């Protein structure tokens, strides 16, 4: 299939950087294919909405945060941790979690820093959105709950976080499900310009680089993020109640600072923290991922994302890519929950 100008631009940029398959973009087919096999499209069979019948939230002190999270399924079952992105929240997995719990999984869904009831333990902590910080949050969360290993599955910021942990802490990861594939990249990778059409896809990143953008996002965050949902998933006909359920998580007092820092950090317009310096160096090296992995992409993803061929070489273990058809956009687990849940179930099956 011929690449779009946007996809070709991303591929050219990776070649320029000399790192095959490094994903600089933001952020499931049901039989396990052999590595290198051609991707097979799969139709998205969307389950009827459950209405997000989650059990009551739990919380745990973990590292710098008190993390609020969903915990459902058998307490002694294999663990799957589901990670949302921006601008989404735990309800992206409202229909995925019951499917996994019914198969015996203990399903954990944390609110990321800056979302929902998750809070910093100290008022003095930098409201830091750099990828290394979110990856360390996940390790701290697992440590606090005494979870040695888990399947990590996510999209957008969540996929990036899962990728980083799978690459750097493979001993903590039984399997990886990552929408849009390999999203590990350091600040240096963000310095090379993209072709104009590709840069246009990142309009909000440049808006956030300005003080006007920060003020505008703070003032209009719910309208802004509704627009992102529509652009990122142009064929997803979500209703206002569905959006409002997730939009409540943007009222977190640290939300704006975390989001703005994340995108400014990517452009080297904001510094990270010294505590993450070693982890940043490892991320910048674009390490390969050797744990069993399934990458996924919806056929109507309107958000910036790399083509699967660009990141295939970054996965050195058992691997499969799944294209999900049916007008599936960026929020793949909420738009195609059965396909996403099936990938989580399949990824650790040898």
């Amino acid at each position: 299939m011929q690449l779009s100008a946007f996809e070709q631009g991303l591929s050219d940029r990776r070649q320029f950087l000399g790192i095959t398959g490094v994903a600089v973009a933001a952020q499931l087919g049901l039989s396990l294919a052999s590595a290198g096999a051609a991707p097979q499209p799969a139709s998205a069979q969307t389950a009827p909405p459950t209405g997000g019948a989650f059990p009551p939230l739990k919380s745990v002190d973990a590292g710098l945060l008190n993390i609020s999270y969903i915990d459902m399924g058998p307490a002694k079952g294999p663990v799957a941790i589901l990670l949302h992105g921006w601008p989404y929240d735990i309800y992206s997995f409202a229909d995925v979690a019951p499917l996994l719990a019914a198969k015996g999984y203990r399903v954990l869904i944390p609110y990321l820093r800056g979302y929902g009831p998750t809070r910093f333990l100290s008022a003095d902590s930098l409201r830091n959105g750099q990828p290394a910080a979110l990856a360390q949050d996940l390790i701290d969360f697992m440590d606090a709950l005494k979870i040695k290993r888990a399947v990590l599955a996510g999209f957008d910021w969540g996929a990036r976080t899962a990728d980083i942990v799978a690459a750097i802490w493979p001993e903590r990861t039984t399997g990886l499900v990552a929408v849009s594939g390999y999203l590990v990249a350091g600040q240096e990778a963000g310095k090379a310009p993209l072709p104009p059409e590709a840069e246009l896809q990142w309009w909000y990143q440049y808006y956030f680089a300005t003080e006007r953008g920060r003020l505008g996002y703070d003032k209009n965050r719910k309208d802004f993020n509704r627009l992102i949902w529509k652009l990122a998933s142009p064929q997803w006909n979500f209703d206002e109640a569905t959006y409002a359920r997730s939009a409540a998580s943007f009222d977190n007092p640290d939300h704006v600072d975390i989001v703005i820092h994340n995108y400014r950090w990517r452009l080297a317009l904001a510094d990270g923290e010294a505590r993450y310096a070693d982890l940043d160096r490892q991320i910048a090296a674009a390490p390969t991922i050797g744990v069993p992995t399934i990458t996924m992409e919806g056929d109507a993803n309107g958000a910036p994302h790399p083509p699967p061929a660009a990141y295939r070489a970054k996965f050195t273990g058992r691997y499969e890519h799944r294209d999900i058809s049916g007008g599936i956009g960026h929020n793949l687990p909420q738009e195609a929950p059965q396909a996403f849940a099936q990938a989580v179930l399949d990824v650790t099956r040898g």
Side-chain angles (χ1 to χ4, degrees), residues 99-181:
L99 297 173
L100 297 178
K103 294 293 186 179
Y105 270 82
R106 181 186 180 189
V107 182
L108 301 173
I109 316 172
Y111 277 103
L112 302 184
R113 54 168 60 195
Y115 293 81
T118 290
R119 297 289 188 272
F120 283 87
L121 294 172
S122 171
D124 296 330
S125 294
L126 176 67
R127 274 39 180 175
N128 181 350
Q130 71 185 108
L134 275 77
Q136 186 63 57
D137 289 347
L138 177 54
I139 292 296
D140 292 340
F141 177 68
M142 294 175 70
D143 288 347
L145 295 181
K146 297 180 170 53
I147 294 168
K148 293 182 178 179
R149 305 182 74 200
V151 175
L152 306 180
F155 71 106
D156 196 84
W157 290 19
R160 179 177 293 106
T161 299
D163 283 348
I164 292 170
V165 171
I168 296 174
W169 290 277
E171 72 279 3
R172 307 298 298 269
T173 314
T174 55
L176 171 68
V177 175
V179 177
S180 298

Side-chain angles (χ1 to χ4, degrees), residues 9 29 42 55 73 81 94 110 115 134-135 153 158 220 228 233 252 267 283 296 340:
I81 302 177
Y115 293 81
L134 275 77
N220 303 304
I228 295 295
S233 299
N252 183 296
L267 295 176
I283 291 170
M296 309 180 74
F340 191 86

Side-chain angles (χ1 to χ4, degrees), residues 163-210:
D163 283 348
I164 292 170
V165 171
I168 296 174
W169 290 277
E171 72 279 3
R172 307 298 298 269
T173 314
T174 55
L176 171 68
V177 175
V179 177
S180 298
Y182 188 86
L183 301 174
V184 182
Q187 277 187 327
E188 195 64 30
K191 292 182 179 179
L194 294 167
E197 183 180 345
E199 296 284 17
L200 179 61
Q201 295 276 332
W202 287 104
W203 64 271
Y204 53 87
Q205 182 167 256
Y206 301 110
Y207 182 63
F208 290 161
T210 69

